[in-house]
């Protein structure tokens, strides 16, 4: 039989290997898109405006920060595939930044895709705050559930009476 420590060690090794693979994919994607963007947008087209330079710099900084967040998550043993965590947000930012870097080689209007990320952030924030601000009918059970709860209550009261009687 395998003891718990050996099993935990194997799962941690699998998690570390999977995280290392994910980090390598994101790093290679980031380097490729940054190289493509800088090579095409800033060297092949000399007529860039100040706004395009600023938005390019902003996008590159966001991509690097997202990759740094992913490194921080894995440094403390986190899983990059976990849904709804910091790593999920970092992946969203990294994918958006890489997409913007590639598409901005064709048009400067693609920087408006950052608004999509703001909308996504508001939607995720509403998922946390909405139920707290407006506690709807989630706490109200339907008729069948109420009937089952009443039956359990009666059974527990009957059991308590029997226990007192003995």
């Amino acid at each position: 039989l395998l003891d718990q420590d050996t099993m935990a060690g194997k799962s941690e090794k699998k998690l570390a290997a999977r995280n290392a693979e994910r980090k390598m994919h994101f790093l290679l994607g980031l380097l490729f898109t940054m190289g493509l963007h800088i090579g095409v947008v800033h060297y092949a087209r000399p007529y860039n405006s100040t706004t395009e330079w600023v938005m390019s710099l902003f996008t590159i900084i966001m991509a690097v920060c997202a990759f740094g967040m992913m490194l921080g998550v894995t440094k403390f043993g986190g899983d990059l595939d976990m849904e709804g965590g910091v790593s999920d947000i970092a992946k969203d930012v990294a994918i958006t930044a890489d997409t913007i870097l590639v598409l901005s080689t064709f048009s400067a209007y693609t920087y408006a895709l950052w608004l999509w990320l703001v909308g996504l952030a508001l939607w995720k924030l509403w998922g946390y705050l909405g139920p707290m601000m407006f506690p709807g009918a989630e706490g109200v059970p339907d008729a069948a559930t109420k009937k089952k709860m009443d039956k359990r209550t009666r059974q527990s009261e009957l059991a308590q009476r029997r226990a007192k009687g003995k």
Side-chain angles (χ1 to χ4, degrees):
L1 284 178
L2 293 173
D3 61 340
Q4 293 293 341
D5 293 334
T6 305
M7 291 173 62
K10 286 184 180 180
S11 66
E12 288 173 3
K13 287 178 185 176
K14 287 181 183 178
L15 176 67
R18 193 173 63 229
N19 282 343
E21 182 181 351
R22 297 267 191 254
K23 287 188 297 188
M24 185 58 66
H25 287 167
F26 276 105
L27 179 63
L28 290 175
L30 175 66
L31 293 176
F32 175 75
T33 56
M34 282 176 35
L36 177 76
H37 179 78
I38 291 170
V40 172
V41 173
H42 296 295
Y43 289 114
R45 291 190 294 175
Y47 54 86
N48 292 328
S49 67
T50 306
T51 305
E52 190 161 2
W53 277 97
V54 169
M55 290 306 294
S56 293
L57 185 63
F58 174 75
T59 304
I60 290 171
I61 288 171
M62 291 298 288
V64 170
C65 288
F67 186 72
M69 284 174 58
M70 285 189 270
L71 288 178
V73 166
T74 58
K75 182 179 180 181
F76 295 109
D79 187 6
L80 287 179
D81 290 333
M82 185 173 60
E83 292 291 324
V86 173
S87 62
D88 194 31
I89 295 168
K91 286 191 297 186
D92 289 342
V93 171
I95 290 169
T96 302
D98 287 347
T99 303
I100 290 172
L101 285 174
V102 170
L103 293 178
S104 66
T105 59
F106 305 109
S107 173
Y109 291 110
T110 57
Y111 292 116
L113 286 176
W114 280 115
L115 297 175
W116 170 83
L117 200 64
V118 172
L120 180 68
L122 291 174
W123 179 69
K124 285 186 177 190
L125 185 64
W126 180 253
Y128 292 117
L129 296 180
M132 288 184 236
M133 292 171 50
F134 303 105
E138 293 176 22
V140 179
D142 61 344
T145 308
K146 188 172 181 176
K147 190 174 182 180
K148 287 179 185 178
M149 289 173 55
D150 289 341
K151 184 177 179 181
R152 287 184 189 156
T153 305
R154 286 193 305 269
Q155 288 175 348
S156 66
E157 289 173 357
L158 183 61
Q160 286 177 354
R161 286 186 204 141
R162 286 182 185 163
K164 287 183 182 177
K166 288 186 179 181

